[in-house]
Amino acid sequence: MDMVLNQATLKRDGVQDYVSLRATALIILAYAVFIVGYLLITPELTYEAWSGLFSNLAVKAATMITLVCMMVHTRIGLWQVLTDYVKNSTTRSILSFVLNLMALAYVAIGLFVLWGV
């Protein structure tokens, strides 16, 4: 019962972070394998071929999911690194804010580029 109540709250949980990191890493890996596979089987990589790949709705959805997974993965990793190595809470908060804002900006830019194709 404690686990159910714990998962229903918004507090950080080590098990939840562990599972989230592993799940997002697997999704990012699967996407990377897909892209590398596409690059290997495409005889001539042209703008038309690349544009055709990303005009497919399934590829757009997979890319969007991967971008969000990258942000989640980054947020958890940043939290772990900053809490371990930056002891001053003000500095840690500023760094966390700036770096998380950058991660969000990368996702936003990626989505604008993705849906602009």
Side-chain angles (χ1 to χ4, degrees):
M1 186 66 175
D2 281 334
M3 185 61 118
V4 173
L5 292 175
N6 202 10
Q7 293 299 316
T9 66
L10 294 176
K11 290 196 270 186
R12 295 193 74 91
D13 182 279
V15 173
Q16 184 179 7
D17 284 351
Y18 179 86
V19 171
S20 296
L21 276 175
R22 279 20 176 218
T24 56
L26 288 174
I27 292 170
I28 294 166
L29 175 66
Y31 184 80
V33 167
F34 167 73
I35 293 296
V36 169
Y38 178 79
L39 293 173
L40 291 175
I41 65 169
T42 304
E44 185 178 346
L45 190 60
T46 62
Y47 173 78
E48 290 78 23
W50 197 246
S51 180
L53 173 68
F54 282 95
S55 65
N56 184 321
L57 187 60
V59 174
K60 283 186 178 189
T63 303
M64 186 172 69
I65 290 167
T66 303
L67 283 171
V68 171
C69 284
M70 289 173 70
M71 186 179 72
V72 169
H73 197 88
T74 300
R75 285 181 51 87
I76 295 170
L78 282 173
W79 177 80
Q80 290 176 342
V81 169
L82 290 176
T83 54
D84 284 348
Y85 295 106
V86 181
K87 297 303 177 190
N88 183 299
S89 62
T90 304
T91 305
R92 185 173 55 240
S93 296
I94 292 169
L95 280 171
S96 178
F97 176 76
V98 170
L99 294 171
N100 281 303
L101 188 62
M102 287 174 60
L104 180 63
Y106 290 148
V107 170
I109 290 167
L111 293 177
F112 280 119
V113 169
L114 177 65
W115 292 101
V117 173

